[in-house]
Amino acid sequence: MIDKSPRWMLATWALSGAVAAGFIWLVLQTSPDRIALPPNFYKLVAHKDVVIGSSLSWTALPHDENYANILNPGRATLVASLPSISESHSIDLLQATVAANANTVLLEVNAFAHEYNGLRNFPLAATLAGVIADTGKRLTLVARATIGLPAREYALIRLGRAATNQRDFVLAGPVEPELYTRTVWDTAGLKEALATAHREKTRLLFFWPPRPSWGGDRNRSNYREIRDHIRLLAKESGVPVWTAQEPWPDHLFMDNFGHLNATGRKLFASKISAWVKAQ
């Protein structure tokens, strides 16, 4: 006779969860690389300054030759980005950029500090939301490839800046996203990446792209919570970080998610250039 006591049921669920987790881990070990670099990435990035981040970084700097050398007057500033870049993608891309002998790396800290899904005052919930979403994308790609279905290449890094006021990716509509603080999931991976940058004498800096004010004060408390969380993360990591003291006016953005327009990009370029020189 099968024992259906709560203790037996709990043990069964625990065993099932462990088996499922083990299977997912094994699948992910044989999956394609988490990021795919563009051709000649290492040659193009060598001895340059590089901004790493999401589409917010892609739209952060002017698409203008007069702003080609923002972080240092004597070196080109490149942007390596991936829409909705995850924590694991950020670490992988940072490692690749350091390996390419980049000079200065300005790393967008969003993927390590906040999510659009979570619970207030429960950073772990936001962290798990991001990790589950990233793992789900990878499992979908592996599954499609396994059964012979076409699969879009996973996490193809984009090297370049968005054209001025480019709108084909802008998240339109009256969306006012609230952010939730998250913790770093892969603390060992981040520490290793930071140590590698230090060992290779790559200058590493963090930044948090400007956020819109959404036309009022109701965003400011959420903004300050995230800002202070990011500053603490940077302090614990031993890396200088740039953050705007307060949200920026809405007229500097193309949408409520923080994609800067032409005017906003020029202002950010001026701010970040002066800050980097002062470090």
Side-chain angles (χ1 to χ4, degrees), residues 98 101-104 194-204:
V98 171
N101 294 315
N103 193 293
T104 296
L194 298 179
T196 301
H198 179 74
R199 185 171 59 251
E200 298 299 325
K201 295 182 171 52
T202 301
R203 187 185 187 197
L204 179 61

Side-chain angles (χ1 to χ4, degrees), residues 58-69:
W58 191 47
T59 61
L61 301 176
H63 190 270
D64 185 330
E65 63 181 13
N66 294 327
Y67 292 86
N69 307 339

Side-chain angles (χ1 to χ4, degrees), residues 49 69-76 273 277:
D49 296 332
N69 307 339
I70 292 177
L71 302 187
N72 187 291
R75 291 188 299 270
S273 176
K277 290 176 183 176

Side-chain angles (χ1 to χ4, degrees), residues 21-238:
F23 173 75
I24 291 174
W25 182 84
L26 285 174
V27 170
L28 293 180
Q29 302 316 300
T30 59
S31 70
D33 292 340
R34 290 186 293 193
I35 60 171
L37 299 173
N40 300 320
F41 176 84
Y42 291 94
K43 182 178 179 180
L44 293 171
V45 167
H47 311 299
K48 305 291 196 313
D49 296 332
V50 183
V51 178
I52 293 176
S54 66
S55 59
L56 298 179
S57 291
W58 191 47
T59 61
L61 301 176
H63 190 270
D64 185 330
E65 63 181 13
N66 294 327
Y67 292 86
N69 307 339
I70 292 177
L71 302 187
N72 187 291
R75 291 188 299 270
T77 300
L78 306 180
V79 179
S81 66
L82 177 69
S84 302
I85 193 169
S86 69
E87 177 184 305
S88 62
H89 294 151
S90 298
I91 292 174
D92 290 348
L93 184 51
L94 174 58
Q95 291 277 34
T97 305
V98 171
N101 294 315
N103 193 293
T104 296
V105 175
L106 186 63
L107 178 64
E108 178 188 310
V109 75
N110 295 28
F112 302 97
H114 61 67
E115 293 282 355
Y116 291 111
N117 300 295
L119 297 174
R120 181 63 54 209
N121 299 319
F122 188 33
L124 183 59
T127 305
L128 289 173
V131 171
I132 291 171
D134 184 41
T135 303
K137 291 176 183 177
R138 295 183 67 202
L139 286 173
T140 299
L141 178 67
V142 173
R144 290 180 66 86
T146 300
I147 61 178
L149 293 177
R152 185 174 53 132
E153 187 163 21
Y154 185 71
L156 179 60
I157 301 302
R158 176 173 48 198
L159 198 59
R161 306 180 191 181
T164 303
N165 287 329
Q166 182 166 344
R167 289 186 171 275
D168 59 347
F169 69 95
V170 172
L171 302 172
V175 180
E176 298 180 351
E178 185 173 13
L179 300 179
Y180 298 87
T181 57
R182 59 161 289 171
T183 58
V184 177
W185 181 259
D186 187 5
T187 53
L190 178 59
K191 288 181 179 178
E192 180 183 351
L194 298 179
T196 301
H198 179 74
R199 185 171 59 251
E200 298 299 325
K201 295 182 171 52
T202 301
R203 187 185 187 197
L204 179 61
L205 304 167
F206 287 166
F207 82 106
W208 186 35
R211 307 288 305 177
S213 64
W214 305 341
D217 292 333
R218 55 201 174 98
N219 177 40
R220 294 186 185 278
S221 60
N222 179 236
Y223 181 92
R224 291 165 182 164
E225 175 190 3
I226 303 295
R227 181 201 64 198
D228 293 345
H229 176 70
I230 287 172
R231 288 177 175 175
L232 178 60
L233 170 63
K235 182 179 179 180
E236 292 174 345
S237 302

